[in-house]
Amino acid sequence: MAAEVEESAELAQYVTEFIEKEFAEVPTSLKKLPRLIEELALCKRNLEEQVLTVSSEVPKKIENAYKKAENAKRLLNILLEKNSTLAKSISNHLLTAHPLMEELKVLIGQIEEIERHLWYLKWISQIEELSNCIQQHLMTNSVSDAASTLVSMAELDIKLKESSCTHLLNFIRSTVKFWHKILKDRLTNDFEEVLKQLHWPLIGPPQSQIPALASTANSAEFNNNLETLFIQLLKLQTSDELVTKQKQLPEKYEIPPSLPIAIPIQLMLLPLQKRFKYHFSGNRQTNLINKPEWYLTQVLMWIGNHIKFFEEKIQPIVDKTGSSLDAKLEFSRGLVMLVLEKMSADIPKLLYDDNLFCHVVDEILLFEKELHSAYGYPNNLPSCMHILSEETCFQKWLTVERKFALEKMDSVLSSETAWTSQYKDIVDVDEMKAPDCAETFMTLLLVITDRYKNLPTAARKLQFLELQKELIDDFRIRLTQVMKEETHSPLGSRYCAILNAVNYIAAVLADWADNVFFLQLQQAALEVCGVSNTLTELQLGQLASLESSVFDNMIDLLERLRCDMLTRQVEHVFREVKDKAKPYKKERWLFLPSQSDQAVMCLSSSACPMLLTLRDLLLQLEQELCHSLFKSCWQMLAEKLDLFIYQDIILANHFNEGGSAQLQFDMTRNLFPLFAHYCKRPENYFKQVKEACVILNLNVGSALLLRDVLQTNSGNVIDAGACSDWHTATAALNELGVYKLAPQDVEILLNLRTNWPSTGNK
């Protein structure tokens, strides 16, 4: 019922809207009515035809759909019957075939077992065949072919290592080991004979070896034997890696994995290894724990003595084989391993003697530097730094570094030259005017960086970085303590030296922040902090985007100390100048003679003490402070003086024409030039004073016009045109060169003038 009422209402609404639309212009005119009746009748007929068409087509569509559904149902029943029949057939077939399947499974298992036996026999046959080949080659003295066959056998061993046939693996490994020993012993004897002809090892520098090598090195037979034996020994490398267990240092040293040293290089190292162990082990007089430089220097000498021979004689032989082996590097690596073994034995004995431990570390670092720089030893191979990175040894190293660094800081700060610059007499060099203590401290930090930068892991480097930051903070605290003792004399040479030291350290740390090494440490610190969640997302983002650096906290603290010290200096100078300015503040500006009444303008006598004091103190600061600090200092002082003169002298007095001219002369010809030594336009640092002088020295006519403009502006503050009046006043001031002072300030200054016409209002 409600739906019918709603429908009726909608219809009435539609009819109303239709009539208003058609007859809205002339409601009384019915000329359109016949046309509308005709259009509506036509619309009605169309709708009736559509209804008839639909009513006749729908039953047909329903009937067709019903027929299709019946057909689909019939086909589905047929498919279900076929499915049932097929399922029964399959089930019956499986029952029938099951016994056959079981029989086939047994047969297939037997076949696979036989195939495995056949393969097993084939592998054994192949191994025996290779073994027979090696034997035949050796009988015919074809050592090179025997070595090549052994390579094939070793490759077969590697191929079968995943097999579960343990007896087969043992058989091939024992066969490889058998022939490897025979071939290696035979080739080793021949190779040692060749080395004897060469007078190996080469003792003495390369220059002294030339005559001794000339007779053998130029012999074609000798060169041929050396090359043949070297190549044959290289062929045994694969089998040697299978049957020889590589000597390893304890896991705590975290030595990076590396390939075994090539066999011919091992043989060439043997005489040197014997000499090393003879001299630097046991109770020999050359084996002193406090003389690590003896064995380190010896190893460097051996590398230097043989490097030319390896480059000129051995490397060409290696290149002929197509191997990527670096003969010189292999030789160096073998000698370095001797050093590592020696260090691992000696270091635990040194942990309780700081001086001896420090000496050993120093010698090791010198050895590492020479090894890498002079002989190109790469960082990714085992080195002495891995021994020093072992936890116990590393913690001892950190402790010793901290101890000696603190002792050095104590020594530096207590020395007589701590607060003087060693370059004070050289102007071009002494730009920072850093005292000796600051220079020495930063050199100490730089040395520490050089000592740890080749450590193998970023985690160890970060621990040293934390030590450096601790030392920086400790030095800052010491500087602060000394500074507090000097606060009674903020312009004294020691106070200024401390300020220069703080500025120098902050500047050097800012430079280091852009160093590649410290950027890499920043990335490593970012990864560590990301894992441990020790930083906020903002801090992590700043580190990742390089907006901040590893030294930011230290630099911020130093900047704060520098700012405090500068402020104290500026305040001290300002108090001195302000005290000397008392007579100038009391100058009788109302009664000074006009400029036309004076032959020559001269400085006010009351301003002399103030300006002399200012000049002397500026000269003193310029001599004591570095350029950047002094620049900040005089700019801060100029800002305070500008405000003081404007508020305490200008706004506190009234000026006649002579007083205004005298003030302008004192400022522009005497005060401003004091700062002209430090910048091109000193008046820009005294904007309020400069602009006040401009207003006070305007001629009377210009001053009257300006006052009228400003009074118009101030009288229309609440009017609609106030904004335009304000711009007019500002434009007028800008034409006079007044940009800093506001219109209200200019009005106050105009009221300080006394040289108005008698008819004018003050």
Side-chain angles (χ1 to χ4, degrees):
M1 188 69 180
E4 292 179 0
V5 171
E6 186 178 351
E7 184 178 352
S8 177
E10 289 179 357
L11 181 60
Q13 178 68 23
Y14 174 77
V15 171
T16 302
E17 291 176 355
F18 179 78
I19 292 172
E20 287 180 354
K21 177 182 176 183
E22 296 295 334
F23 300 100
E25 296 179 0
V26 187
T28 56
S29 175
L30 299 177
K31 291 181 180 179
K32 294 182 179 180
L33 191 59
R35 180 176 60 78
L36 286 173
I37 292 172
E38 184 178 348
E39 289 178 357
L40 291 172
L42 179 61
C43 183
K44 179 183 176 184
R45 285 196 300 272
N46 289 338
L47 290 173
E48 288 175 347
E49 289 176 0
Q50 289 178 11
V51 169
L52 289 172
T53 302
V54 170
S55 62
S56 62
E57 289 180 355
V58 167
K60 292 180 181 179
K61 290 181 179 179
I62 293 173
E63 185 179 355
N64 290 335
Y66 179 76
K67 288 180 179 179
K68 289 180 180 179
E70 287 290 334
N71 289 333
K73 182 180 178 182
R74 181 172 54 80
L75 291 173
L76 180 61
N77 289 332
I78 293 171
L79 289 174
L80 289 172
E81 290 177 1
K82 288 182 178 180
N83 178 63
S84 177
T85 304
L86 186 59
K88 290 178 181 179
S89 176
I90 291 171
S91 178
N92 293 332
H93 179 73
L94 288 174
L95 289 172
T96 306
H98 182 70
L100 296 175
M101 290 172 60
E102 291 298 323
E103 293 177 6
L104 284 173
K105 189 181 293 185
V106 173
L107 292 173
I108 291 170
Q110 292 173 351
I111 292 171
E112 290 175 349
E113 181 74 15
I114 293 170
E115 285 181 343
R116 283 196 296 272
H117 291 164
L118 285 173
W119 276 112
Y120 196 93
L121 293 173
K122 284 181 180 178
W123 289 124
I124 292 175
S125 174
Q126 190 172 349
I127 295 166
E128 289 179 342
E129 183 180 345
L130 291 172
S131 181
N132 291 333
C133 285
I134 294 173
Q135 185 176 10
Q136 290 174 6
H137 289 315
L138 288 177
M139 290 173 67
T140 57
N141 218 18
S142 300
V143 180
S144 178
D145 293 335
S148 299
T149 307
L150 182 60
V151 171
S152 300
M153 187 183 291
E155 290 172 350
L156 183 60
D157 187 335
I158 296 170
K159 185 177 180 180
L160 291 174
K161 70 178 181 179
E162 298 298 329
S163 173
S164 58
C165 302
T166 55
H167 295 295
L168 177 64
L169 294 178
N170 291 335
F171 173 66
I172 189 171
R173 180 61 55 86
S174 61
T175 307
V176 169
K177 189 173 183 179
F178 173 78
W179 289 117
H180 175 80
K181 185 178 184 306
I182 291 174
L183 284 171
K184 186 176 180 181
D185 289 347
R186 182 167 177 175
L187 290 173
T188 298
N189 292 332
D190 295 343
F191 193 66
E192 287 176 349
E193 287 297 323
V194 172
L195 292 179
K196 283 180 183 178
Q197 297 176 36
L198 194 61
H199 306 290
W200 188 265
L202 306 176
I203 305 302
Q207 297 83 358
S208 65
Q209 300 166 11
I210 295 173
L213 290 174
S215 59
T216 54
N218 294 328
S219 168
E221 182 182 357
F222 170 82
N223 288 332
N224 185 52
N225 288 340
L226 176 65
E227 179 178 330
T228 302
L229 290 169
F230 196 95
I231 292 173
Q232 290 174 354
L233 283 167
L234 275 181
K235 289 181 180 180
L236 301 183
Q237 191 67 32
T238 305
S239 57
D240 191 70
E241 292 174 12
L242 291 174
V243 302
T244 306
K245 187 176 181 181
Q246 190 177 2
K247 191 175 182 180
Q248 296 284 350
L249 288 170
E251 291 184 2
K252 65 179 181 178
Y253 295 115
E254 298 182 359
I255 303 294
S258 56
L259 294 173
I261 296 171
I263 294 176
I265 307 294
Q266 289 181 29
L267 297 176
M268 299 176 85
L269 283 167
L270 276 176
L272 297 175
Q273 290 171 345
K274 290 177 181 177
R275 292 186 183 207
F276 187 90
K277 290 177 181 178
Y278 176 83
H279 289 292
F280 304 115
S281 63
N283 298 322
R284 302 290 177 188
Q285 292 182 349
T286 48
N287 183 35
L288 297 179
I289 197 167
N290 61 340
K291 294 292 183 181
E293 58 269 30
W294 287 358
Y295 69 81
L296 294 173
T297 304
Q298 184 63 71
V299 167
L300 289 175
M301 286 177 59
W302 284 341
I303 294 174
N305 292 343
H306 295 84
I307 195 168
K308 187 176 181 181
F309 175 80
F310 275 95
E311 288 176 345
E312 295 180 356
K313 296 296 181 183
I314 302 300
Q315 191 61 46
I317 297 173
V318 174
D319 294 340
K320 286 182 180 180
T321 66
S323 172
S324 59
L325 187 73
D326 186 333
K328 172 188 68 177
L329 183 58
E330 287 288 285
F331 181 75
S332 301
R333 184 157 67 95
L335 292 176
V336 168
M337 289 306 297
L338 288 176
V339 174
L340 300 191
E341 292 170 10
K342 175 67 175 169
M343 281 179 60
S344 64
D346 286 355
I347 289 289
K349 305 172 187 176
L350 307 171
L351 297 178
Y352 303 102
D353 188 331
D354 290 351
N355 291 316
L356 183 54
F357 182 85
C358 188
H359 172 65
V360 171
V361 170
D362 289 342
E363 292 298 330
I364 288 170
L365 293 175
L366 288 173
F367 170 79
E368 281 283 311
K369 184 176 181 180
E370 180 76 10
L371 185 66
H372 290 284
S373 60
Y375 302 116
Y377 193 79
N379 291 322
N380 60 337
L381 290 180
S383 71
C384 302
M385 302 306 286
H386 290 93
I387 305 297
L388 294 180
S389 295
E390 188 271 324
E391 183 63 28
T392 306
C393 181
F394 184 77
Q395 293 304 324
K396 180 64 178 180
W397 186 13
L398 273 180
T399 303
V400 170
E401 287 286 347
R402 182 183 289 105
K403 174 187 173 182
F404 285 108
L406 292 174
E407 289 178 359
K408 182 67 174 177
M409 287 161 58
D410 290 335
S411 171
V412 167
L413 288 172
S414 60
S415 71
E416 295 180 357
T417 60
W419 306 108
T420 58
S421 172
Q422 55 182 320
Y423 308 111
K424 62 181 179 180
D425 298 326
I426 310 174
V427 179
D428 295 337
V429 176
D430 198 26
E431 291 183 0
M432 299 295 289
K433 294 184 178 178
D436 186 58
C437 64
E439 290 257 15
T440 305
F441 176 68
M442 296 312 292
T443 302
L444 173 65
L445 291 182
L446 188 61
V447 169
I448 291 175
T449 303
D450 287 337
R451 288 162 72 84
Y452 79 82
K453 69 180 180 181
N454 288 323
L455 281 168
T457 63
R460 295 302 193 203
K461 294 176 186 177
L462 287 174
Q463 287 179 270
F464 257 102
L465 178 63
E466 287 302 315
L467 170 62
Q468 287 180 303
K469 291 161 77 171
E470 288 176 21
L471 295 175
I472 294 168
D473 198 46
D474 187 273
F475 195 74
R476 178 189 62 83
I477 292 171
R478 293 175 189 231
L479 290 178
T480 305
Q481 291 170 345
V482 179
M483 179 269 293
K484 288 179 179 178
E485 297 172 1
E486 300 294 326
T487 49
H488 64 279
S489 178
L491 301 187
S493 59
R494 177 168 288 195
Y495 189 93
C496 292
I498 296 169
L499 182 52
N500 284 329
V502 171
N503 181 69
Y504 173 73
I505 294 170
V508 173
L509 291 179
D511 287 341
W512 285 2
D514 297 327
N515 184 282
V516 174
F517 174 72
F518 288 109
L519 289 174
Q520 291 171 342
L521 283 190
Q522 180 175 335
Q523 181 62 33
L526 178 65
E527 294 172 1
V528 172
C529 294
V531 173
S532 59
N533 295 322
T534 55
L535 293 179
T536 64
E537 289 187 7
L538 176 61
Q539 290 171 319
L540 286 172
Q542 289 174 337
L543 278 174
S545 62
L546 303 182
E547 291 179 12
S548 61
S549 72
V550 290
F551 295 112
D552 266 10
N553 292 338
M554 300 296 103
I555 294 173
D556 289 343
L557 291 171
L558 290 166
E559 292 281 1
R560 192 180 306 167
L561 178 59
R562 179 176 66 177
C563 184
D564 290 344
M565 294 182 71
L566 265 180
T567 303
R568 188 176 284 108
Q569 280 189 327
V570 171
E571 289 291 343
H572 178 82
V573 174
F574 179 68
R575 281 196 303 270
E576 292 286 327
V577 174
K578 188 177 179 181
D579 184 61
K580 299 295 182 182
K582 289 178 181 177
Y584 194 62
K585 289 172 63 177
K586 297 176 182 178
E587 186 70 57
R588 302 180 68 187
W589 303 101
L590 275 171
F591 305 104
L592 293 178
S594 65
Q595 188 173 358
S596 59
D597 295 336
Q598 301 181 59
V600 178
M601 290 286 289
C602 60
L603 174 66
S604 300
S605 59
S606 58
C608 289
M610 174 184 73
L611 294 178
L612 283 172
T613 301
L614 178 60
R615 182 201 64 182
D616 293 342
L617 294 178
L618 284 173
L619 285 173
Q620 183 180 349
L621 287 172
E622 185 180 17
Q623 290 173 357
E624 297 289 348
L625 297 179
C626 71
H627 176 72
S628 61
L629 285 174
F630 178 67
K631 182 178 179 181
S632 300
C633 186
W634 73 254
Q635 288 178 353
M636 292 167 64
L637 181 60
E639 183 180 351
K640 293 182 74 67
L641 286 174
D642 183 40
L643 187 62
F644 165 69
I645 295 172
Y646 177 70
Q647 291 184 346
D648 290 29
I649 297 178
I650 297 176
L651 294 182
N653 290 284
H654 287 77
F655 299 83
N656 65 358
E657 183 180 354
S660 299
Q662 185 63 50
L663 176 69
Q664 186 173 37
F665 182 83
D666 292 344
M667 296 297 105
T668 58
R669 302 292 295 276
N670 293 279
L671 175 63
F672 296 171
L674 281 179
F675 292 86
H677 298 289
Y678 319 124
C679 63
K680 292 182 179 179
R681 301 182 64 84
E683 64 273 12
N684 288 340
Y685 295 92
F686 295 89
K687 289 184 179 179
Q688 293 180 104
V689 172
K690 182 188 74 171
E691 293 178 3
C693 289
V694 170
I695 298 300
L696 292 175
N697 285 277
L698 283 175
N699 61 55
V700 176
S702 299
L704 285 171
L705 288 173
L706 179 61
R707 188 170 66 175
D708 289 342
V709 170
L710 295 176
Q711 287 177 346
T712 303
N713 172 63
S714 60
N716 293 332
V717 172
I718 60 173
D719 294 344
C723 184
S724 62
D725 290 335
W726 176 271
H727 288 304
T728 302
T730 304
L733 292 175
N734 291 348
E735 287 181 7
L736 297 172
V738 177
Y739 299 93
K740 175 77 173 178
L741 297 176
Q744 298 91 328
D745 300 326
V746 175
E747 279 194 86
I748 294 171
L749 289 170
L750 289 172
N751 290 330
L752 299 178
R753 292 170 56 120
T754 60
N755 56 328
W756 296 104
S758 58
T759 57
N761 296 324
K762 287 185 182 181

